[in-house]
């Protein structure tokens, strides 16, 4: 990719990855992802984060196109995850006098992942680094997304170099700034990046939002996705809503099903919810839809109903994967319903009850468990379950 000016002397160095199938080798990225680094050219030159290692050659060439044979004085490490620190070692090898800028958590990570750094500048909340006409201020935002994570606020142009915060899946297909792209396309990818990567750390994200509130921010330059410069409220309000578990009226129904009986139970519930006036109903087959997408809707809607047949005396494996992800991320403020099929020895509903105990969401109705094909008695129970969920949602 070409380097692009975000101001007269601050450059966007972003690289589109359309080859990787799974981000972190877990999360599907059918629309790819960008890795964004930034360069400030002043009396001193500073890089803000680097890029994933497969882009090192192009990255070094682009930097040289901007600064010629000048040296880079500082590498600010906002976040050490290798999608951003992948070129760190190459940068240090090419610019051996470069000073690495980080907080008390950063340099241990540098040593663990790459090498013992020779030149470092230790910063803390409020520390200032003068580059000439640009002044950088640092603020830690731990766990958004790792413990060492910080942001860098450039005071002259009021730019927040935000690391993962406010980032997005999806490559930048020509457009780099929020006013150059169709945000409708990015909305799902922004949210999936948030829920998949940062979603476990919502309380930390809330703390970061409040910590940054006093700063006058005109531009947000994240390490993935668009640079936000025209409508910052678009991204800020969404981050605030998602990280505070402010959920909409709606229900996510997820089932595992080998021969259709548990699916049939899900369909009964979904139909009744629709009859009761619930418009946002998302029904997912856990074997078909990746957890990445399902968890996204769980961060959107207040109702969650899950069904599993017994599978070798346990949960259906793909339902198990989803539920362990939910337990790991532990989103809050949900209503829960559970159902399933006993099959020949039970284990589905039995383990859904364990999930219910662990996640501590309000169970709106007793678990409904069928044996084999759906019969009248349990169909009635499923309708009652759907009614109980609808009552809760409509009462809000
Ligand atoms: Fe984009 Fe937490 O790294």
């Amino acid at each position: 990719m070409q380097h692009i000016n975000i101001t007269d002397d601050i450059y966007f160095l972003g690289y589109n990855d359309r080859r990787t199938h799974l981000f972190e080798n877990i999360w599907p990225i059918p629309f790819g992802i960008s890795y964004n680094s930034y360069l400030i050219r002043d009396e001193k030159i500073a890089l803000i984060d680097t890029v994933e290692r497969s882009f090192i050659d192009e990255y070094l060439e682009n930097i040289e196109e901007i600064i010629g044979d000048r040296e880079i004085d500082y590498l600010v490490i906002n976040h050490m995850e290798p999608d951003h620190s992948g070129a760190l070692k190459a940068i240090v090898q090419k610019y051996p006098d470069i000073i690495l800028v980080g907080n008390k958590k950063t340099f241990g990570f540098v040593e663990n992942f790459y090498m013992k750094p020779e030149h470092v500048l230790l910063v803390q909340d409020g520390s200032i680094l003068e580059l000439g006409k640009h002044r950088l201020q640092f603020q830690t935002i731990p766990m958004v997304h790792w413990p060492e994570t910080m942001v860098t606020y450039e005071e002259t142009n009021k730019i927040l170099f935000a690391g993962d915060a406010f980032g997005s899946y999806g490559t930048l297909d020509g457009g780099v700034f929020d006013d150059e792209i169709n945000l409708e396309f990015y909305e799902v990818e922004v949210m999936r990046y948030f829920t998949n990567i940062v979603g476990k750390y919502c309380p930390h994200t809330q703390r970061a939002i409040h910590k940054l509130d006093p700063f006058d921010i005109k531009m947000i330059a994240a390490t993935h996705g668009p640079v936000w410069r025209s409508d910052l409220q678009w991204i800020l309000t969404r981050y605030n809503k998602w990280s505070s578990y402010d959920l909409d009226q709606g229900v996510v129904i997820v089932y595992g099903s080998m021969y259709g009986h548990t699916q049939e139970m899900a369909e009964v519930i979904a139909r009744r919810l629709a009859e009761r006036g619930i418009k946002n109903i998302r029904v997912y087959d856990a074997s078909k839809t990746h957890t990445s997408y399902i968890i996204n809707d769980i961060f959107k809607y207040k109702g969650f109903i899950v069904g599993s047949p017994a599978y070798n005396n346990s949960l259906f494996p793909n339902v198990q994967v989803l539920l362990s992800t939910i337990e790991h991320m532990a989103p809050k403020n949900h209503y829960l319903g559970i159902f399933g099929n006993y099959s020949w020895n039970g284990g589905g509903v039995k383990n859904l009850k364990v999930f219910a105990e662990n996640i501590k969401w309000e169970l709106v109705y007793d678990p409904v468990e069928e044996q084999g094909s759906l019969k009248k008695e349990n169909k009635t129970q499923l309708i009652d379950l759907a009614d109980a969920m609808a009552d809760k949602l409509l009462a809000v």
Side-chain angles (χ1 to χ4, degrees), residues 49-243:
D49 291 312
T50 71
V51 293
E52 203 270 340
R53 65 181 177 180
S54 53
F55 297 95
I56 287 174
D57 288 348
E58 207 179 334
Y59 182 56
L60 294 178
E61 280 169 26
N62 287 160
I63 290 171
E64 208 168 302
E65 282 166 21
I66 300 169
I67 65 170
D69 56 9
R70 285 184 66 184
E71 296 292 313
I72 303 176
D73 298 281
Y74 299 102
L75 169 56
V76 176
I77 304 169
N78 279 337
H79 182 24
M80 266 298 295
E81 191 166 9
D83 52 331
H84 309 296
S85 66
L88 188 153
K89 200 167 177 179
I91 288 287
V92 172
Q93 282 167 347
K94 183 162 181 185
Y95 302 99
D97 294 327
I98 195 167
I99 297 168
L100 306 188
V101 181
N103 58 70
K104 63 182 180 188
K105 297 257 172 69
T106 312
F107 301 118
F109 285 17
V110 174
E111 192 166 347
N112 292 342
F113 277 80
Y114 302 107
M115 75 279 171
K116 189 168 174 53
E118 278 192 44
H119 313 291
V120 301
L121 175 62
L122 181 66
V123 297
Q124 57 188 4
D125 282 351
S127 294
I128 299 289
L129 176 60
E130 306 265 6
L131 302 177
K133 66 179 184 180
H134 298 277
R135 261 166 63 103
L136 304 181
Q137 185 186 148
F138 307 99
Q139 293 289 335
T140 56
I141 55 163
M143 304 318 299
V144 188
H145 150 232
W146 276 14
E148 87 301 357
T149 311
M150 63 180 193
V151 295
T152 300
Y153 178 67
E154 192 277 319
E155 294 182 353
T156 315
N157 298 281
K158 305 185 191 312
I159 300 171
L160 182 73
F161 295 100
D164 277 346
F166 314 115
S168 177
Y169 291 147
T171 51
L172 296 168
D173 298 343
V176 165
F177 298 96
D178 58 343
D179 48 282
E180 296 179 333
I181 60 180
N182 184 345
L183 286 176
E184 274 178 37
F185 164 76
Y186 282 94
E187 181 148 23
V188 173
E189 297 299 281
V190 169
M191 187 173 185
R192 270 202 321 124
Y193 189 79
F194 171 78
T195 60
N196 295 183
I197 307 303
V198 187
K200 178 174 171 56
Y201 303 110
C202 287
H204 304 79
T205 306
Q206 277 290 300
R207 280 198 279 280
I209 289 170
H210 291 125
K211 191 171 187 177
L212 297 173
D213 192 48
F215 288 81
D216 181 16
I217 299 168
K218 300 290 187 211
M219 190 185 299
I220 297 175
T223 44
H224 302 286
V227 175
W228 309 94
R229 71 175 178 187
S230 64
D231 182 7
L232 270 53
Q233 285 309 309
W234 190 97
I235 184 74
L236 291 171
T237 53
R238 281 165 175 76
Y239 254 67
N240 192 35
K241 178 175 168 63
W242 301 332
S243 61

Side-chain angles (χ1 to χ4, degrees), residues 250-257 260-274 278-290 293-295 297-298 301 303-307 319 322 339 386:
V251 183
V252 178
I253 303 171
V254 185
Y255 64 86
S257 190
H261 298 120
T262 311
Q263 176 181 353
E264 188 182 359
M265 298 173 84
E267 305 285 9
V268 169
I269 296 167
R271 180 61 202 150
R272 182 60 179 173
L273 286 168
I278 305 297
K279 294 228 171 1
N280 293 310
I281 305 167
R282 302 280 180 273
V283 181
Y284 290 112
D285 181 331
S287 298
K288 169 88 181 294
T289 305
H290 194 283
Y293 296 89
I294 301 174
I295 199 82
D297 276 346
I298 291 170
Y301 299 120
F304 179 66
I305 302 178
V306 58
V319 172
L322 172 69
F339 66 97

